[in-house]
Amino acid sequence: SLLPFIDNQTTSLTAFTQNPSNDDNIFLAYFVISGSASVATVCPEAVTVDNEYGTCGATVNYLVTEGSIQTGGLPSGSVFPVGTTTNTFTNPECSFIVTVVDSTDPNTPTLADVTGQCSATAAVPTTTDNCAGTINGTTSDPLTYSTQGTHTITWNFNDGNGQNFNVTQNVIVNDTTAPNTPTIANVTGQCSATATVPTTTDNCAGTINGTTS
């Protein structure tokens, strides 16, 4: 080949010929080669970012080889959802993963005390999260208490993306209502008299027997 140095990467070729001796068997050729068709191949490494506050995703920008054709994933500048998204390209082949991490805790609820005279039952509390929406609290503690006093329930709120926390709630059982006051008739007798144990009712205890010292 007269041009062993020219390959398919050449973008332009200019040729000049000259016959200095006007002899058909002798000529000089000058070749000017300029430019190159080769383009730097760009394929990003894996990208990991935190979500943008208050949203369930993050805007991600990236660079790939000019002229690449995207066959999967999302374009640069898109809002990528929490989780992993695989971006794929052809011309040339390129594949990389964008991971958006949910780093925002669910909103912390304020749980009011649950009170009752004889017993008290707590309802399942909820809160909100930027990704999960409404989250129900979970607990391994009982929800209903009938023993007088203060009891504590520990609720856990988990958004399913690795963010969770505990909130406590008091359940107070406090009987402030006195038993009904009975009207007790006089006990009479000629030589002796014996009283029977009187009873009354209570909102919590039901029937109560009177006692005496």
Side-chain angles (χ1 to χ4, degrees):
S1 171
L2 293 177
L3 304 175
F5 50 82
I6 299 176
D7 58 26
N8 60 5
Q9 299 300 311
T10 303
T11 58
S12 65
L13 173 65
T14 304
F16 303 91
T17 63
Q18 182 179 6
N19 186 346
S21 62
N22 295 318
D23 187 332
D24 290 341
N25 294 321
I26 300 174
F27 70 93
L28 299 176
Y30 302 90
F31 300 94
V32 178
I33 301 172
S34 64
S36 174
S38 61
V39 177
T41 299
V42 180
C43 189
E45 299 291 334
V47 178
T48 300
V49 297
D50 288 338
N51 69 296
E52 295 166 0
Y53 183 79
T55 69
C56 194
T59 301
V60 177
N61 296 289
Y62 57 82
L63 294 176
V64 294
T65 305
E66 183 179 355
S68 294
I69 300 172
Q70 187 162 22
T71 57
L74 294 172
S76 176
S78 298
V79 176
F80 284 71
V82 165
T84 59
T85 301
T86 301
N87 289 321
T88 56
F89 295 83
T90 59
N91 190 35
E93 297 291 331
C94 171
S95 177
F96 64 96
I97 292 175
V98 173
T99 302
V100 179
V101 178
D102 180 10
S103 59
T104 304
D105 286 336
N107 295 315
T108 302
T110 300
L111 304 182
D113 292 344
V114 178
T115 60
Q117 291 281 320
C118 307
S119 66
T121 300
V124 175
T126 62
T127 190
T128 56
D129 179 72
N130 60 309
C131 287
T134 300
I135 298 176
N136 292 328
T138 60
T139 184
S140 59
D141 297 324
L143 300 186
T144 299
Y145 297 86
S146 57
T147 303
Q148 295 287 306
T150 300
H151 312 271
T152 301
I153 298 176
T154 300
W155 295 100
N156 179 262
F157 295 89
N158 191 326
D159 68 0
N161 289 322
Q163 310 298 322
N164 75 95
F165 56 84
N166 292 332
V167 177
T168 58
Q169 183 177 33
N170 292 324
V171 179
I172 303 170
V173 182
N174 184 22
D175 181 7
T176 60
T177 303
N180 295 315
T181 302
T183 298
I184 301 176
N186 293 332
V187 179
T188 60
Q190 290 289 322
C191 302
S192 66
T194 301
T196 58
V197 176
T199 63
T200 190
T201 57
D202 180 74
N203 62 314
C204 291
T207 299
I208 299 176
N209 291 327
T211 60
T212 183
S213 58

